[in-house]
Tab-separated table of all heavy atoms in Angstrom:
chain	number	residue	atom	x	y	z
X	11	LEU	N	10.993	0.585	5.467
X	11	LEU	CA	11.871	-0.570	5.026
X	11	LEU	C	12.763	-1.040	6.137
X	11	LEU	O	12.904	-2.272	6.366
X	11	LEU	CB	12.742	-0.198	3.823
X	11	LEU	CG	11.934	0.061	2.472
X	11	LEU	CD1	12.857	0.560	1.354
X	11	LEU	CD2	11.300	-1.296	1.999
X	12	ARG	N	13.355	-0.110	6.891
X	12	ARG	CA	14.086	-0.469	8.104
X	12	ARG	C	13.281	-1.364	9.170
X	12	ARG	O	13.639	-2.303	9.692
X	12	ARG	CB	14.824	0.703	8.787
X	12	ARG	CG	16.025	1.216	8.021
X	12	ARG	CD	16.845	2.202	8.791
X	12	ARG	NE	16.043	3.256	9.317
X	12	ARG	CZ	15.834	4.428	8.637
X	12	ARG	NH1	16.273	4.599	7.344
X	12	ARG	NH2	15.067	5.413	9.153
X	13	ARG	N	12.059	-0.852	9.389
X	13	ARG	CA	11.207	-1.547	10.303
X	13	ARG	C	10.750	-2.858	9.802
X	13	ARG	O	10.679	-3.801	10.577
X	13	ARG	CB	9.862	-0.584	10.657
X	13	ARG	CG	8.912	-1.125	11.531
X	13	ARG	CD	9.659	-1.331	12.961
X	13	ARG	NE	8.641	-2.024	13.924
X	13	ARG	CZ	7.878	-1.617	14.687
X	13	ARG	NH1	7.959	-0.287	14.970
X	13	ARG	NH2	7.099	-2.229	15.469
X	14	MET	N	10.558	-2.885	8.493
X	14	MET	CA	10.079	-4.243	7.890
X	14	MET	C	11.230	-5.200	8.108
X	14	MET	O	11.073	-6.333	8.501
X	14	MET	CB	9.861	-4.090	6.414
X	14	MET	CG	8.521	-3.315	6.108
X	14	MET	SD	8.297	-2.923	4.341
X	14	MET	CE	8.379	-4.593	3.599
X	15	ALA	N	12.474	-4.794	7.897
X	15	ALA	CA	13.697	-5.653	8.011
X	15	ALA	C	13.834	-6.032	9.365
X	15	ALA	O	13.982	-7.261	9.722
X	15	ALA	CB	14.958	-4.923	7.511
X	16	SER	N	13.641	-5.203	10.368
X	16	SER	CA	13.936	-5.495	11.830
X	16	SER	C	12.688	-6.465	12.275
X	16	SER	O	12.890	-7.336	13.245
X	16	SER	CB	14.022	-4.293	12.667
X	16	SER	OG	12.693	-3.665	12.746
X	17	ASP	N	11.556	-6.374	11.737
X	17	ASP	CA	10.509	-7.243	12.078
X	17	ASP	C	10.336	-8.486	11.152
X	17	ASP	O	9.470	-9.242	11.440
X	17	ASP	CB	9.082	-6.439	11.914
X	17	ASP	CG	8.878	-5.397	13.001
X	17	ASP	OD1	9.841	-5.265	13.849
X	17	ASP	OD2	7.896	-4.770	12.977
X	18	GLY	N	11.299	-8.774	10.311
X	18	GLY	CA	11.341	-9.865	9.432
X	18	GLY	C	10.135	-9.961	8.411
X	18	GLY	O	9.784	-11.055	8.068
X	19	ILE	N	9.755	-8.767	7.859
X	19	ILE	CA	8.583	-8.674	7.013
X	19	ILE	C	9.218	-8.634	5.577
X	19	ILE	O	10.081	-7.717	5.278
X	19	ILE	CB	7.784	-7.495	7.231
X	19	ILE	CG1	7.038	-7.639	8.643
X	19	ILE	CG2	6.701	-7.230	6.098
X	19	ILE	CD1	6.382	-6.435	9.185
X	20	ASP	N	8.686	-9.583	4.790
X	20	ASP	CA	9.150	-9.550	3.236
X	20	ASP	C	8.311	-8.594	2.400
X	20	ASP	O	8.909	-8.178	1.392
X	20	ASP	CB	9.161	-10.979	2.741
X	20	ASP	CG	10.143	-11.812	3.453
X	20	ASP	OD1	11.281	-11.534	3.800
X	20	ASP	OD2	9.676	-12.978	4.068
X	21	LEU	N	7.101	-8.509	2.795
X	21	LEU	CA	6.135	-7.745	1.855
X	21	LEU	C	5.147	-7.037	2.782
X	21	LEU	O	4.579	-7.588	3.658
X	21	LEU	CB	5.421	-8.681	0.957
X	21	LEU	CG	4.327	-8.063	0.083
X	21	LEU	CD1	4.846	-6.972	-0.853
X	21	LEU	CD2	3.503	-9.048	-0.566
X	22	LEU	N	5.001	-5.705	2.539
X	22	LEU	CA	3.979	-4.928	3.129
X	22	LEU	C	2.892	-4.692	2.224
X	22	LEU	O	3.197	-4.174	1.014
X	22	LEU	CB	4.540	-3.660	3.714
X	22	LEU	CG	3.554	-2.680	4.293
X	22	LEU	CD1	2.806	-3.324	5.633
X	22	LEU	CD2	4.197	-1.328	4.734
X	23	ILE	N	1.664	-4.939	2.408
X	23	ILE	CA	0.512	-4.609	1.633
X	23	ILE	C	-0.278	-3.552	2.273
X	23	ILE	O	-0.855	-3.883	3.366
X	23	ILE	CB	-0.421	-5.881	1.404
X	23	ILE	CG1	0.428	-6.950	0.726
X	23	ILE	CG2	-1.602	-5.449	0.494
X	23	ILE	CD1	-0.396	-8.246	0.494
X	24	ALA	N	-0.322	-2.347	1.750
X	24	ALA	CA	-1.100	-1.227	2.355
X	24	ALA	C	-2.367	-1.234	1.620
X	24	ALA	O	-2.446	-1.302	0.294
X	24	ALA	CB	-0.259	0.039	2.259
X	25	CYS	N	-3.492	-0.987	2.317
X	25	CYS	CA	-4.887	-1.054	1.708
X	25	CYS	C	-5.557	0.292	1.878
X	25	CYS	O	-5.389	0.953	2.887
X	25	CYS	CB	-5.608	-2.097	2.418
X	25	CYS	SG	-4.928	-3.788	2.540
X	26	SER	N	-6.329	0.578	0.815
X	26	SER	CA	-7.214	1.791	0.989
X	26	SER	C	-8.546	1.545	0.416
X	26	SER	O	-8.726	0.806	-0.538
X	26	SER	CB	-6.463	3.034	0.175
X	26	SER	OG	-7.374	4.082	0.122
X	27	ASP	N	-9.554	2.217	0.979
X	27	ASP	CA	-10.884	2.103	0.421
X	27	ASP	C	-11.241	3.172	-0.491
X	27	ASP	O	-12.239	3.226	-1.182
X	27	ASP	CB	-11.910	2.022	1.527
X	27	ASP	CG	-11.953	3.252	2.349
X	27	ASP	OD1	-11.162	4.227	2.206
X	27	ASP	OD2	-12.790	3.241	3.420
X	28	GLY	N	-10.263	4.095	-0.823
X	28	GLY	CA	-10.439	5.161	-1.708
X	28	GLY	C	-11.286	6.392	-1.208
X	28	GLY	O	-11.326	7.453	-1.845
X	29	LEU	N	-11.754	6.273	0.064
X	29	LEU	CA	-12.443	7.427	0.655
X	29	LEU	C	-11.434	8.276	1.377
X	29	LEU	O	-10.659	7.857	2.193
X	29	LEU	CB	-13.385	6.870	1.681
X	29	LEU	CG	-14.538	6.034	1.070
X	29	LEU	CD1	-15.451	5.514	2.236
X	29	LEU	CD2	-15.417	6.727	0.034
X	30	GLN	N	-11.354	9.580	1.059
X	30	GLN	CA	-10.378	10.420	1.659
X	30	GLN	C	-11.039	11.170	2.825
X	30	GLN	O	-11.782	12.164	2.726
X	30	GLN	CB	-9.862	11.443	0.561
X	30	GLN	CG	-9.414	10.877	-0.680
X	30	GLN	CD	-8.318	9.741	-0.573
X	30	GLN	OE1	-7.448	10.007	0.292
X	30	GLN	NE2	-8.348	8.648	-1.247
X	31	MET	N	-10.807	10.576	4.019
X	31	MET	CA	-11.289	11.053	5.217
X	31	MET	C	-10.239	11.905	6.009
X	31	MET	O	-9.254	11.324	6.239
X	31	MET	CB	-11.857	9.922	6.065
X	31	MET	CG	-12.723	8.923	5.453
X	31	MET	SD	-14.155	9.742	4.763
X	31	MET	CE	-15.217	9.347	6.285
X	32	PRO	N	-10.555	13.099	6.364
X	32	PRO	CA	-9.486	13.971	6.994
X	32	PRO	C	-9.150	13.482	8.398
X	32	PRO	O	-8.040	13.677	8.903
X	32	PRO	CB	-10.240	15.294	7.103
X	32	PRO	CG	-11.668	15.048	6.933
X	32	PRO	CD	-11.839	13.781	6.177
X	33	ASP	N	-9.989	12.647	9.029
X	33	ASP	CA	-9.704	12.206	10.378
X	33	ASP	C	-9.116	10.789	10.425
X	33	ASP	O	-8.844	10.248	11.467
X	33	ASP	CB	-10.983	12.161	11.260
X	33	ASP	CG	-12.062	11.284	10.730
X	33	ASP	OD1	-12.066	11.015	9.405
X	33	ASP	OD2	-12.866	10.929	11.425
X	34	ARG	N	-8.771	10.220	9.277
X	34	ARG	CA	-8.254	8.879	9.239
X	34	ARG	C	-7.199	8.737	8.184
X	34	ARG	O	-7.353	9.218	7.083
X	34	ARG	CB	-9.409	7.911	8.848
X	34	ARG	CG	-8.918	6.432	8.843
X	34	ARG	CD	-10.203	5.454	8.430
X	34	ARG	NE	-11.014	5.912	7.406
X	34	ARG	CZ	-10.961	5.516	6.098
X	34	ARG	NH1	-9.937	4.692	5.749
X	34	ARG	NH2	-11.690	6.065	5.239
X	35	PRO	N	-5.948	8.354	8.530
X	35	PRO	CA	-4.824	8.243	7.562
X	35	PRO	C	-5.134	7.207	6.582
X	35	PRO	O	-5.829	6.187	6.876
X	35	PRO	CB	-3.700	7.885	8.460
X	35	PRO	CG	-4.216	7.330	9.756
X	35	PRO	CD	-5.539	7.950	9.984
X	36	ASP	N	-4.597	7.442	5.373
X	36	ASP	CA	-4.766	6.496	4.279
X	36	ASP	C	-3.288	5.863	4.019
X	36	ASP	O	-2.551	6.595	3.508
X	36	ASP	CB	-5.304	7.148	2.994
X	36	ASP	CG	-5.520	6.156	1.910
X	36	ASP	OD1	-4.792	5.268	1.671
X	36	ASP	OD2	-6.601	6.437	1.292
X	37	PRO	N	-3.132	4.571	4.362
X	37	PRO	CA	-1.805	3.946	4.116
X	37	PRO	C	-1.388	4.027	2.762
X	37	PRO	O	-0.106	4.055	2.453
X	37	PRO	CB	-1.890	2.528	4.656
X	37	PRO	CG	-3.385	2.342	4.919
X	37	PRO	CD	-4.131	3.645	4.828
X	38	VAL	N	-2.215	3.916	1.680
X	38	VAL	CA	-1.759	3.947	0.321
X	38	VAL	C	-1.342	5.251	-0.018
X	38	VAL	O	-0.193	5.511	-0.617
X	38	VAL	CB	-2.920	3.543	-0.535
X	38	VAL	CG1	-2.617	3.799	-2.101
X	38	VAL	CG2	-3.189	2.067	-0.409
X	39	VAL	N	-1.897	6.355	0.405
X	39	VAL	CA	-1.471	7.777	0.207
X	39	VAL	C	-0.147	7.919	0.966
X	39	VAL	O	0.758	8.556	0.447
X	39	VAL	CB	-2.405	8.772	0.594
X	39	VAL	CG1	-2.048	10.167	0.591
X	39	VAL	CG2	-3.699	8.714	-0.240
X	40	HIS	N	-0.044	7.424	2.096
X	40	HIS	CA	1.126	7.529	3.040
X	40	HIS	C	2.367	6.920	2.363
X	40	HIS	O	3.470	7.463	2.421
X	40	HIS	CB	0.845	6.849	4.355
X	40	HIS	CG	1.719	7.142	5.425
X	40	HIS	ND1	1.826	8.366	6.144
X	40	HIS	CD2	2.820	6.422	6.004
X	40	HIS	CE1	2.825	8.382	6.913
X	40	HIS	NE2	3.362	7.163	7.068
X	41	LEU	N	2.101	5.837	1.666
X	41	LEU	CA	3.285	5.159	1.051
X	41	LEU	C	3.475	5.407	-0.425
X	41	LEU	O	4.546	5.051	-1.022
X	41	LEU	CB	3.200	3.592	1.232
X	41	LEU	CG	3.236	3.100	2.670
X	41	LEU	CD1	3.002	1.619	2.686
X	41	LEU	CD2	4.674	3.460	3.261
X	42	SER	N	2.554	6.058	-1.030
X	42	SER	CA	2.753	6.323	-2.464
X	42	SER	C	2.497	7.802	-2.882
X	42	SER	O	2.900	8.208	-3.984
X	42	SER	CB	1.739	5.472	-3.204
X	42	SER	OG	0.425	5.882	-3.164
X	43	GLY	N	1.699	8.444	-2.146
X	43	GLY	CA	1.329	9.804	-2.494
X	43	GLY	C	0.131	9.823	-3.392
X	43	GLY	O	-0.340	11.066	-3.761
X	44	TYR	N	-0.374	8.753	-3.820
X	44	TYR	CA	-1.477	8.680	-4.850
X	44	TYR	C	-2.813	8.557	-4.143
X	44	TYR	O	-3.057	7.650	-3.268
X	44	TYR	CB	-1.303	7.508	-5.742
X	44	TYR	CG	-2.264	7.544	-6.925
X	44	TYR	CD1	-2.038	8.319	-8.026
X	44	TYR	CD2	-3.381	6.611	-6.872
X	44	TYR	CE1	-2.987	8.311	-9.006
X	44	TYR	CE2	-4.223	6.645	-7.915
X	44	TYR	CZ	-4.030	7.516	-8.990
X	44	TYR	OH	-4.868	7.490	-9.995
X	45	ARG	N	-3.892	9.365	-4.438
X	45	ARG	CA	-5.160	9.248	-3.797
X	45	ARG	C	-6.090	8.517	-4.938
X	45	ARG	O	-6.349	9.117	-5.919
X	45	ARG	CB	-5.773	10.603	-3.572
X	45	ARG	CG	-4.899	11.326	-2.534
X	45	ARG	CD	-5.569	12.714	-2.199
X	45	ARG	NE	-4.692	13.343	-1.204
X	45	ARG	CZ	-4.855	13.135	0.081
X	45	ARG	NH1	-5.593	12.193	0.561
X	45	ARG	NH2	-4.003	13.803	0.883
X	46	SER	N	-6.338	7.339	-4.663
X	46	SER	CA	-7.121	6.553	-5.655
X	46	SER	C	-8.644	6.881	-5.602
X	46	SER	O	-9.121	7.381	-4.585
X	46	SER	CB	-6.854	5.093	-5.371
X	46	SER	OG	-7.310	4.756	-4.124
X	47	LEU	N	-9.248	6.467	-6.681
X	47	LEU	CA	-10.712	6.739	-6.800
X	47	LEU	C	-11.484	5.622	-6.043
X	47	LEU	O	-12.644	5.799	-5.644
X	47	LEU	CB	-11.187	6.851	-8.198
X	47	LEU	CG	-10.585	7.939	-9.085
X	47	LEU	CD1	-10.921	7.822	-10.488
X	47	LEU	CD2	-10.877	9.298	-8.437
X	48	GLY	N	-10.912	4.494	-6.060
X	48	GLY	CA	-11.571	3.252	-5.452
X	48	GLY	C	-10.510	2.538	-4.515
X	48	GLY	O	-9.546	3.110	-4.195
X	49	GLU	N	-10.881	1.300	-4.286
X	49	GLU	CA	-9.993	0.486	-3.378
X	49	GLU	C	-8.544	0.300	-4.096
X	49	GLU	O	-8.529	0.337	-5.306
X	49	GLU	CB	-10.475	-0.895	-3.143
X	49	GLU	CG	-11.643	-0.962	-2.194
X	49	GLU	CD	-13.005	-0.836	-2.913
X	49	GLU	OE1	-13.032	-0.910	-4.195
X	49	GLU	OE2	-14.055	-0.773	-2.234
X	50	SER	N	-7.620	0.332	-3.335
X	50	SER	CA	-6.242	0.195	-3.823
X	50	SER	C	-5.210	-0.382	-2.882
X	50	SER	O	-5.643	-0.558	-1.671
X	50	SER	CB	-5.659	1.657	-4.262
X	50	SER	OG	-5.670	2.438	-3.095
X	51	PHE	N	-4.091	-0.854	-3.492
X	51	PHE	CA	-3.030	-1.458	-2.571
X	51	PHE	C	-1.684	-0.783	-3.007
X	51	PHE	O	-1.490	-0.471	-4.155
X	51	PHE	CB	-2.857	-2.994	-2.915
X	51	PHE	CG	-4.123	-3.716	-2.592
X	51	PHE	CD1	-4.639	-4.651	-3.575
X	51	PHE	CD2	-4.792	-3.656	-1.397
X	51	PHE	CE1	-5.751	-5.434	-3.349
X	51	PHE	CE2	-5.861	-4.561	-1.182
X	51	PHE	CZ	-6.392	-5.396	-2.088
X	52	VAL	N	-0.819	-0.773	-2.091
X	52	VAL	CA	0.603	-0.648	-2.384
X	52	VAL	C	1.337	-1.808	-1.843
X	52	VAL	O	1.095	-2.333	-0.762
X	52	VAL	CB	1.186	0.691	-1.698
X	52	VAL	CG1	2.757	0.631	-1.673
X	52	VAL	CG2	0.693	1.946	-2.194
X	53	LEU	N	2.047	-2.456	-2.721
X	53	LEU	CA	2.940	-3.575	-2.333
X	53	LEU	C	4.366	-2.995	-2.066
X	53	LEU	O	4.943	-2.510	-3.100
X	53	LEU	CB	3.022	-4.635	-3.417
X	53	LEU	CG	1.544	-5.009	-3.925
X	53	LEU	CD1	1.713	-6.099	-5.097
X	53	LEU	CD2	0.720	-5.567	-2.812
X	54	LEU	N	4.928	-3.088	-0.973
X	54	LEU	CA	6.269	-2.671	-0.733
X	54	LEU	C	7.082	-3.780	-0.274
X	54	LEU	O	6.789	-4.466	0.782
X	54	LEU	CB	6.269	-1.579	0.346
X	54	LEU	CG	7.652	-1.004	0.730
X	54	LEU	CD1	8.303	-0.297	-0.397
X	54	LEU	CD2	7.413	0.015	1.918
X	55	HIS	N	8.051	-4.212	-1.115
X	55	HIS	CA	8.896	-5.418	-0.837
X	55	HIS	C	10.095	-4.831	0.064
X	55	HIS	O	10.468	-3.783	-0.059
X	55	HIS	CB	9.371	-5.981	-2.159
X	55	HIS	CG	8.290	-6.594	-2.946
X	55	HIS	ND1	7.788	-7.767	-2.797
X	55	HIS	CD2	7.505	-5.870	-3.872
X	55	HIS	CE1	6.817	-7.940	-3.667
X	55	HIS	NE2	6.580	-6.922	-4.301
X	56	ARG	N	10.634	-5.847	0.745
X	56	ARG	CA	11.717	-5.533	1.624
X	56	ARG	C	12.933	-4.952	0.842
X	56	ARG	O	13.719	-4.156	1.348
X	56	ARG	CB	12.230	-6.821	2.405
X	56	ARG	CG	13.253	-6.485	3.436
X	56	ARG	CD	13.901	-7.701	3.936
X	56	ARG	NE	13.092	-8.398	4.822
X	56	ARG	CZ	13.483	-9.216	5.882
X	56	ARG	NH1	14.835	-9.398	5.975
X	56	ARG	NH2	12.701	-9.810	6.576
X	57	ASP	N	13.125	-5.337	-0.442
X	57	ASP	CA	14.219	-4.767	-1.157
X	57	ASP	C	14.077	-3.329	-1.713
X	57	ASP	O	14.855	-2.743	-2.326
X	57	ASP	CB	14.627	-5.714	-2.401
X	57	ASP	CG	13.448	-5.837	-3.406
X	57	ASP	OD1	12.419	-5.067	-3.301
X	57	ASP	OD2	13.572	-6.552	-4.363
Side-chain angles (χ1 to χ4, degrees):
L11 290 170
R12 282 192 306 275
R13 179 63 187 260
M14 287 172 62
S16 72
D17 289 1
I19 295 167
D20 298 308
L21 172 67
L22 175 62
I23 302 174
C25 308
S26 173
D27 59 4
L29 300 175
Q30 308 305 319
M31 308 298 268
D33 61 336
R34 181 175 46 93
D36 185 320
V38 168
V39 174
H40 193 75
L41 293 176
S42 72
Y44 189 78
R45 295 185 185 279
S46 62
L47 299 176
E49 290 92 5
S50 58
F51 300 129
V52 167
L53 309 180
L54 181 60
H55 297 272
R56 187 192 284 205
D57 66 7

